[in-house]
Amino acid sequence: MNKVILTCIGALLAIQGFAQNARPAKPNIILILADDLGYSDLGAYGSEIKTPNLDRLANEGLRLKEFYNNSICAPTRASLLTGQYQHKAGVGYFANDLGLPAYQGYLNKESLTLAEVLKTQGYNTLMSGKWHVAGKDVSFPWQRGFDHVMMSENGSYFDQGDYEGGKKRAYTINGKPYPLEAGKFYQTDVITENAVNFLDQSAKDKPFFLYLAYTAPHWPLHALPEDIAKYKGRYDKGWDVLRAERIKKQKELGIIDGNSTISEKDADIYNWNKLSFDQRSQWAKKMEIFAAMVDRLDQGIGQVLNKLKATGADKNTIILFISDNGAPAEDLVKWYKGAVRNSGPVGTIGSYESQSKNWSYASNSPLKAFKDYMYEGGISSPFIAWYPAKIKPGTLKKGTGHIIDIAPTFYELAGATYPKSYQGITPNALAGKSLLPVLFGNDNELKRDEPLFWERAGNRAVRAGKWKLVSTWPGYNWELYNLETDRGETTNVARQNHDVVSRLSVAYFDWAKRTGVVDFATLEAKEPPSMKEFRKSKVQEVVSEGFGF
């Protein structure tokens, strides 16, 4: 009898063990964020820059034609990390405190991070790179759910100085100083190396979440000589020819729909043909360095992929890649007090320059405007998703996703229930929707119950179906575009569609009230001087000859 009982118990345990083994393991999750990367700066989105690793992920996975960010760094990171609109997370303006809860400049406790939620599901939580949503000694990544952190912020890629000559950009590991010798490191490589090390150190019996937040290719234009050499002479044709080449490739790739418009050229983009030989050489060098920075970022992603394969983790890992905003228009040399630290040739440790509006005009092809604007060129990002077990290779969809959708996507993947209470706090409800019906299913774009909304320093936008409502500070007039046929936002049809403007503007003000948005006129006096000048730096001086310096 005892033998029978023992045999039955053994059989039950075996069945239970088989059931546990048969249960799918939680997927590993890698979220990769580039900084100031334009919509067309990857090979898979039309670029000539060598990005074989990201192109591989795109060819073996999925790309979206429409995926949105918040137009500028800190607000995008706040939404990406929490699944909240930026104001709800406390970063409505930037990483500055403007005196209101929605504009405190760092993540509030009510907005749970991806790491905090995934950690409750047994994930190892890892971060390497840029954070930019902390303040007043709170809301650093090691305080917001991350187990292992190497944090670096924007600044020189070769030392720890910033554009004003100060040393404010210290590197840390888990909050402790991480000393690096000036001239002996390159920031993109440091971020990659620590990410790879963290993957090596993470427990093999637990799933992991890696937030890999590169600073590249954000200015200053710094790159390694061997990478710059790959692009020597490539940009001697200028930005107009480059833009035409990229748009042609985008049409071949299907990134641009055949019936859609191309954005018009800003009047203050310099005329390449009227520049002197020396001026052309100087400008071409800038783009060579920018391309080298993107190239090195891609090389880093290749190292991460190699580590995944070496450990066998690639068989159950999803990777998402996006950018935090469109390519920038600011001219660093002219911005605020100017780049007082700029003593060497562009690209070297002594230099501090940006690619400026002219090359970003090509980077954001075929879209209108730049970082910080709510036109498509400011808020559109390349989007690549790779998960061999679930995503069909070579998939290209419209998508119309937003960074607020990343959190619910990851939580559904992890089988996580978003908590109603967390450490005595009632968390803000998630604002987005899971992207899985688009990533894994047959849906071509995400179906929403309400429009998408944006506000940043008075710039505003609403997206509902084919319609896009936009206004640019300091103006209050609404413009309306039909993105179904006019992705380039060339024809304002507000006068012909008063009912649409009325409906979407009412929806905007209702959202603004619910989310904590206030009229920027009430906050402008609190805006830091450097950020006031930031807006002005995006407008170039154009003299009668067609260019200015």
Side-chain angles (χ1 to χ4, degrees):
M1 184 67 177
N2 288 339
K3 288 184 179 180
V4 173
I5 293 173
L6 288 172
T7 301
C8 291
I9 291 173
L12 289 171
L13 289 173
I15 292 169
Q16 184 181 25
F18 175 79
Q20 288 175 341
N21 292 331
R23 189 179 301 136
K26 293 179 184 294
N28 303 308
I29 299 170
I30 299 180
L31 174 60
I32 307 175
L33 183 66
D35 198 330
D36 278 14
L37 184 83
Y39 182 74
S40 73
D41 279 330
L42 303 179
Y45 277 81
S47 179
E48 72 298 330
I49 300 173
K50 296 176 175 63
T51 55
N53 295 296
L54 283 165
D55 295 349
R56 173 199 153 191
L57 295 181
N59 292 332
E60 295 178 2
L62 170 145
R63 285 167 295 164
L64 297 183
K65 299 176 186 178
E66 296 181 358
F67 187 81
Y68 291 117
N69 50 51
N70 285 341
S71 86
I72 198 167
C73 179
T76 284
R77 291 159 205 274
S79 291
L80 180 64
L81 286 162
T82 66
Q84 308 294 332
Y85 280 111
Q86 74 224 45
H87 308 80
K88 204 71 173 176
V91 192
Y93 169 75
F94 200 63
N96 305 92
D97 188 353
L98 300 189
L100 292 173
Y103 299 87
Q104 67 184 22
Y106 58 91
L107 296 181
N108 55 39
K109 293 181 180 179
E110 292 76 22
S111 300
L112 302 186
T113 69
L114 294 168
E116 286 172 325
V117 176
L118 291 174
K119 196 170 182 177
T120 67
Q121 302 301 307
Y123 276 75
N124 274 332
T125 52
L126 319 167
M127 183 238 171
S128 186
K130 180 175 176 178
W131 185 245
H132 209 195
V133 284
K136 297 184 178 179
D137 294 323
V138 297
S139 285
F140 285 100
W142 52 87
Q143 298 168 325
R144 299 305 303 264
F146 283 93
D147 298 316
H148 301 288
V149 177
M150 194 294 293
M151 191 176 78
S152 64
E153 300 293 358
N154 277 119
S156 170
Y157 285 74
F158 295 118
D159 62 24
Q160 300 198 31
D162 66 10
Y163 76 100
E164 291 185 298
K167 291 191 175 181
K168 306 174 184 177
R169 309 291 180 175
Y171 292 64
T172 59
I173 288 188
N174 297 329
K176 297 179 181 179
Y178 181 34
L180 295 166
E181 185 179 351
K184 301 294 185 182
F185 69 91
Y186 184 68
Q187 187 178 56
T188 302
D189 289 347
V190 173
I191 292 171
T192 297
E193 289 161 6
N194 279 278
V196 170
N197 289 340
F198 289 156
L199 291 180
D200 238 352
Q201 297 164 9
S202 62
K204 300 297 186 292
D205 59 340
K206 295 174 67 176
F208 63 79
F209 163 58
L210 169 63
Y211 177 43
L212 180 52
Y214 284 105
T215 53
H218 191 291
W219 50 258
L221 293 175
H222 283 168
L224 298 171
E226 60 266 33
D227 293 330
I228 300 172
K230 299 178 187 179
Y231 300 94
K232 184 174 178 57
R234 179 62 182 83
Y235 299 103
D236 291 353
K237 296 177 181 179
W239 35 78
D240 292 303
V241 172
L242 181 66
R243 187 171 188 265
E245 290 175 349
R246 289 193 177 186
I247 289 172
K248 180 176 182 293
K249 185 176 177 182
Q250 287 176 321
K251 289 179 178 178
E252 293 169 355
L253 292 170
I255 298 295
I256 300 177
D257 293 332
N259 64 340
S260 188
T261 57
I262 306 302
S263 66
E264 297 171 349
K265 184 177 180 178
D266 283 20
D268 61 346
I269 299 293
Y270 299 161
N271 186 335
W272 183 264
N273 293 326
K274 291 187 177 181
L275 298 178
S276 70
F277 176 82
D278 286 345
Q279 288 169 335
R280 292 184 194 181
S281 297
Q282 292 167 3
W283 278 108
K285 185 69 173 179
K286 284 191 173 188
M287 191 60 190
E288 290 170 10
I289 296 163
F290 178 86
M293 296 172 75
V294 177
D295 189 310
R296 179 60 60 157
L297 179 153
D298 184 79
Q299 292 176 49
I301 292 171
Q303 292 180 43
V304 172
L305 294 176
N306 289 340
K307 177 56 65 176
L308 287 178
K309 186 174 182 179
T311 60
D314 59 324
K315 295 177 175 60
N316 190 33
T317 297
I318 183 170
I319 300 176
L320 296 189
F321 175 91
I322 58 174
S323 179
D324 67 343
N325 44 251
E330 61 260 34
D331 187 335
L332 186 60
V333 174
K334 296 179 181 179
W335 175 27
Y336 193 33
K337 299 176 183 178
V340 298
R341 175 190 178 176
N342 201 6
S343 59
V346 62
T348 67
I349 191 171
S351 70
Y352 226 93
E353 296 191 23
S354 57
Q355 70 269 37
S356 305
K357 190 173 189 177
N358 306 289
W359 287 118
S360 290
Y361 160 68
S363 284
N364 288 333
S365 301
L367 309 176
K368 178 178 180 176
F370 310 88
K371 169 184 175 182
D372 197 41
Y373 292 96
M374 297 306 171
Y375 296 109
E376 293 290 281
I379 60 176
S380 292
S381 166
F383 177 100
I384 297 172
W386 179 85
Y387 192 11
K390 294 282 188 179
I391 295 177
K392 182 181 177 181
T395 302
L396 178 63
K397 293 185 176 182
K398 184 178 181 182
T400 322
H402 188 282
I403 46 177
I404 58 173
D405 303 321
I406 298 295
T409 302
F410 286 169
Y411 300 157
E412 184 175 356
L413 272 170
T417 300
Y418 188 68
K420 295 181 179 179
S421 178
Y422 182 84
Q423 297 182 356
I425 294 168
T426 301
N428 293 324
L430 292 173
K433 296 190 67 173
S434 171
L435 289 162
L436 292 191
V438 174
L439 302 186
F440 298 169
N442 296 320
D443 289 3
N444 187 51
E445 61 182 306
L446 202 58
K447 297 178 175 64
R448 299 184 188 277
D449 299 325
E450 69 170 15
L452 290 168
F453 301 95
W454 291 266
E455 190 279 337
R456 216 303 289 190
N459 295 331
R460 307 174 296 171
V462 183
R463 173 72 193 268
K466 67 181 182 180
W467 298 113
K468 170 106 173 279
L469 196 66
V470 186
S471 74
T472 303
W473 180 262
Y476 283 93
N477 293 333
W478 289 112
E479 302 167 21
L480 183 68
Y481 299 97
N482 178 357
L483 295 191
E484 206 167 76
T485 57
D486 188 20
R487 185 95 193 271
E489 294 169 299
T490 61
T491 305
N492 177 11
V493 294
R495 290 186 177 181
Q496 294 80 23
N497 296 277
H498 290 289
D499 57 331
V500 178
V501 174
S502 177
R503 174 170 57 85
L504 295 186
S505 61
V506 168
Y508 171 84
F509 288 112
D510 177 63
W511 167 82
K513 184 177 180 180
R514 289 185 281 116
T515 312
V517 179
V518 300
D519 188 332
F520 188 62
T522 66
L523 296 173
E524 191 180 16
K526 299 179 180 180
E527 190 177 26
S530 61
M531 294 302 290
K532 289 181 186 292
E533 291 298 320
F534 168 73
R535 290 202 301 272
K536 296 178 183 178
S537 74
K538 296 181 290 184
V539 179
Q540 298 186 144
E541 176 188 0
V542 181
V543 295
S544 58
E545 289 83 0
F547 59 88
F549 286 89

